[in-house]
Amino acid sequence: MSHPIKPAPTPVGLSIVVPVYRGAATVGRLVEALSALRPEGGLEIILVNDGSPDNSSEVCRMLARTASVPLTYIEHARNFGEHNAVMTGLRHARGAYVITMDDDLQNPPEEVVRLYDHARTGDWDVVYTRYAEKKHAPWRNLGSRFANWVADLLLDKPKGLYLSSFRCMSALVVREVTKYRGPYPYVDGLIMQVTQRLDSIEVRHLARSEGRSNYTLKRLVRLWLNLATNFSVLPLRMAIVAGVAMGLFGLLGALAVMIEALMGVTPSGWASTMTVLLLLSGVQFLILGVLGEYVGRAFLSANGKPQGVVREVIGPGAASSPQPAPQRLLLAAEAGQ
């Protein structure tokens, strides 16, 4: 008779992972608001500075010294991307549940406990948040809807589940997700490979209090590529379908030309020929691009492209850092000053 595996005891009930990029003006207020929360089992905060070009590093270091709750500061050696920063933060999280959220205060801190309690009392592995109204620019909302539509096609996820970066995960899911070491992580894709015990709750979404969104069109395209090429071979199958369809169109065109010739009608001229040629060439280059994306990512992964390079860890999470022991002791000593 098999027995369920009991989860290992955790030193804290809730870990909150916050990737920081151009967040110097807001991360202090976020930490202050989170520190006032009193979730079951206590909480810790993990800030991951993803190569931010502003003075986020100085602000986060000050917070590591002055925060009233356990706070771990992790600094990436350069900018690797939001999902890479989240993966780094998850590896240093010690909580029975882990919430990921942005540093821009668009996710109200007071919703954190409600999200945590819903996951904990309902025994859900992952709880996502959804918004009645998103306070993003129209193009960003359109991009989010497109990304979720793509995820519906490519991922084994419940239809209509909104994939938000404000989510709560159990320690089980965190442990399995962080086993992925490739350079192109997509956290939600990894979650779908681990569990289907998913739920969502509606929360408020606030307008940005400072600055503008760090997600440019280029970053969104990179995110879509991570989703499309890391967790599905559907683009390759679509390329096959496109190739077959173009072959059939070519066959029909050849038959039409033969029929015209047999009927004594002069076949259509160069315009139709060029149209077909350009169409076929476009499809061929599209297929080559899809194949090249897969091959290129496999090449970079095989050559050890890092998922993230941690320059420094300060605070309680330094004990779980993969750095050599002497450096961990030094960082822990700095955190205690």
Side-chain angles (χ1 to χ4, degrees):
M1 179 178 177
S2 61
H3 298 279
I5 299 174
K6 294 182 179 180
T10 55
V12 66
L14 175 63
S15 299
I16 303 174
V17 173
V18 183
V20 179
Y21 188 78
R22 298 185 186 275
T26 56
V27 69
R29 282 181 283 163
L30 175 62
V31 168
E32 181 181 4
L34 293 176
S35 300
L37 302 177
R38 296 294 179 266
E40 181 74 23
L43 67 81
E44 66 171 358
I45 301 171
I46 301 166
L47 305 178
V48 184
N49 177 11
D50 190 35
S52 182
D54 62 3
N55 65 326
S56 292
S57 174
E58 289 78 7
V59 173
C60 291
R61 289 172 188 276
M62 181 188 68
L63 291 171
R65 293 193 299 269
T66 61
S68 59
V69 299
L71 188 148
T72 299
Y73 170 61
I74 307 168
E75 184 172 304
H76 269 176
R78 57 175 290 271
N79 177 248
F80 287 91
E82 179 186 356
H83 285 249
N84 301 60
V86 168
M87 292 289 284
T88 296
L90 293 179
R91 289 193 175 94
H92 291 79
R94 305 175 299 157
Y97 285 86
V98 181
I99 285 179
T100 63
M101 63 189 304
D102 297 334
D103 64 353
D104 53 16
L105 293 173
Q106 289 193 268
N107 302 132
E110 56 267 25
E111 301 280 19
V112 164
V113 174
R114 191 163 72 89
L115 176 59
Y116 168 56
D117 286 343
H118 186 84
R120 180 174 57 86
T121 58
D123 198 26
W124 297 103
D125 286 333
V126 182
V127 177
Y128 284 93
T129 57
R130 61 184 187 274
Y131 311 111
E133 182 183 2
K134 290 189 69 177
K135 302 294 186 177
H136 283 315
W139 72 269
R140 174 73 188 280
N141 289 333
L142 182 62
S144 296
R145 284 195 291 270
F146 176 75
N148 272 272
W149 176 76
V150 172
D152 282 336
L153 292 177
L154 302 182
L155 298 181
D156 183 21
K157 83 176 184 71
K159 289 288 184 181
L161 177 68
Y162 180 73
L163 301 180
S164 166
S165 59
F166 186 27
R167 57 175 96 79
C168 182
M169 295 175 276
S170 68
L172 165 70
V173 173
V174 171
R175 184 180 69 244
E176 295 302 314
V177 163
T178 52
K179 289 179 180 178
Y180 176 77
R181 297 286 174 172
Y184 302 105
Y186 183 72
V187 175
D188 300 306
L190 294 168
I191 287 172
M192 299 305 155
Q193 292 182 342
V194 173
T195 183
Q196 284 288 290
R197 191 182 290 181
L198 311 169
D199 198 23
S200 67
I201 62 172
E202 185 173 298
V203 299
R204 292 183 300 128
H205 192 252
L206 307 179
R208 290 185 68 92
S209 60
E210 299 283 346
R212 60 181 183 179
S213 174
N214 293 318
Y215 262 106
T216 62
L217 181 60
K218 179 181 177 181
R219 287 175 179 265
L220 285 174
V221 170
R222 286 170 54 187
L223 184 63
W224 296 335
L225 288 175
N226 286 350
L227 166 60
T229 58
N230 281 18
F231 299 95
S232 175
V233 294
L234 182 61
L236 293 176
R237 292 171 180 166
M238 291 174 63
I240 294 173
V241 171
V244 171
M246 290 301 100
L248 291 175
F249 279 127
L251 179 61
L252 292 175
L255 289 174
V257 170
M258 291 174 62
I259 292 172
E260 284 183 341
L262 291 174
M263 295 177 63
V265 179
T266 303
S268 303
W270 67 271
S272 58
T273 302
M274 288 300 297
T275 299
V276 173
L277 181 62
L278 290 173
L279 178 62
L280 290 175
S281 298
V283 173
Q284 289 173 343
F285 277 111
L286 176 62
I287 294 172
L288 287 174
V290 171
L291 289 172
E293 188 68 29
Y294 276 94
V295 172
R297 286 170 178 258
F299 170 77
L300 292 173
S301 298
N303 279 271
K305 180 180 172 65
Q307 187 181 104
V309 177
V310 174
R311 184 189 302 279
E312 185 176 16
V313 183
I314 299 175
S320 61
S321 172
Q323 300 173 62
Q327 188 173 1
R328 289 204 303 268
L329 292 174
L330 174 62
L331 296 176
E334 289 179 356
Q337 291 178 355

